Amino acid sequence: DLIAALENKLDIQGENVQLRYLLGGANGIKALQVNKMFSIPYVNAMLENFEQALTLDSKHLPALEAYVEALCMVPSLLGGDRNMAKQYAKQLKELDPVQGFFAMGFIASIEEQNKQAKDHFKKAFETLETQSFCTQKLADYFMKSSMNFPYKMAEISTAYQLSPEIGLCAINYFIDQYSPFDTLPLEWAYFQKAQLLIALGKKPAASLALKESLAINPAFE
């Protein structure tokens, strides 16, 4: 239904970078939901829409972020291209160093180059620290980012044990801004929050976050 609605809106409004970006994301989600045998048209549509979004606006940060990840995750036979992903990651870094480092770290992690991945992520968090990330108005900071970007920051902070204070600020922002239209389950956000609180030695607060996670989804293993 969402794909059809976005396509209809494109027909009415004409080309629009945000609609193309959203349409790419919707097709990507659909590709994960269907049997692999039937996913190819959605994979193709995802890549095509991200590419068209960047043709309309080469500086659209969410489309760059999404296209880098898509090019890495999709097999080369279906249009994936990690070398192209690296080029777009460099372009993203020129526009926004933090997002660029995260994109480069993502590519390195996909290629199982864990040390390089951690180095890129570390540079991202060091940049955020120099920007006094937690004390600035985060709504302004994330204005040009994807809705999932603050969650990714927290997830990477947990996984690589980097800057838990920044990770906590990011996940708190994600939770505050969460809506039913977001693709990431809210219980996972509270789970990430609990991990970061544990890393900061705040176990009672972490326990409360875990209880909130289970209140949202009692079957959350």
Side-chain angles (χ1 to χ4, degrees), residues 102-119:
F102 275 116
M104 291 174 171
F106 176 83
I107 296 170
S109 68
I110 292 295
E111 295 182 335
E112 298 184 353
Q113 296 176 349
N114 293 328
K115 184 182 183 303
Q116 289 186 22
K118 186 169 185 177
D119 288 344

Side-chain angles (χ1 to χ4, degrees), residues 67-215:
Y67 199 32
V68 167
E69 295 186 4
L71 287 168
C72 286
M73 299 296 290
V74 173
S76 58
L77 287 173
L78 298 180
D81 188 332
R82 292 184 186 175
N83 288 327
M84 188 182 295
K86 290 173 184 177
Q87 293 175 17
Y88 278 110
K90 289 179 181 178
Q91 183 177 333
L92 184 55
K93 182 174 175 288
E94 291 174 2
L95 296 170
D96 186 305
V98 171
Q99 293 204 38
F101 283 128
F102 275 116
M104 291 174 171
F106 176 83
I107 296 170
S109 68
I110 292 295
E111 295 182 335
E112 298 184 353
Q113 296 176 349
N114 293 328
K115 184 182 183 303
Q116 289 186 22
K118 186 169 185 177
D119 288 344
H120 287 308
F121 292 139
K122 186 178 180 181
K123 289 177 182 177
F125 283 108
E126 286 174 349
T127 304
L128 288 167
E129 287 170 1
T130 62
Q131 296 174 353
S132 301
F133 173 78
C134 287
T135 61
Q136 61 182 291
K137 190 175 180 181
L138 296 186
D140 290 341
Y141 181 86
F142 288 116
M143 184 171 57
K144 294 183 179 181
S145 303
S146 70
M147 289 301 297
N148 291 343
F149 187 59
Y151 180 93
K152 290 177 185 177
M153 290 172 59
E155 184 179 41
I156 290 167
S157 174
T158 299
Y160 289 87
Q161 299 180 343
L162 295 167
S163 303
E165 298 90 350
I166 289 176
L168 184 61
C169 292
I171 203 64
N172 281 335
Y173 175 81
F174 178 86
I175 291 169
D176 289 342
Q177 299 298 314
Y178 187 84
S179 81
F181 301 104
D182 287 330
T183 57
L184 293 167
L186 186 57
E187 61 265 30
W188 274 99
Y190 278 101
F191 176 76
Q192 293 294 344
K193 180 175 181 175
Q195 306 309 303
L196 291 161
L197 287 166
I198 290 169
L200 291 167
K202 299 179 179 180
K203 291 186 178 180
S207 179
L208 290 175
L210 290 172
K211 287 180 181 177
E212 186 66 33
S213 181
L214 289 170

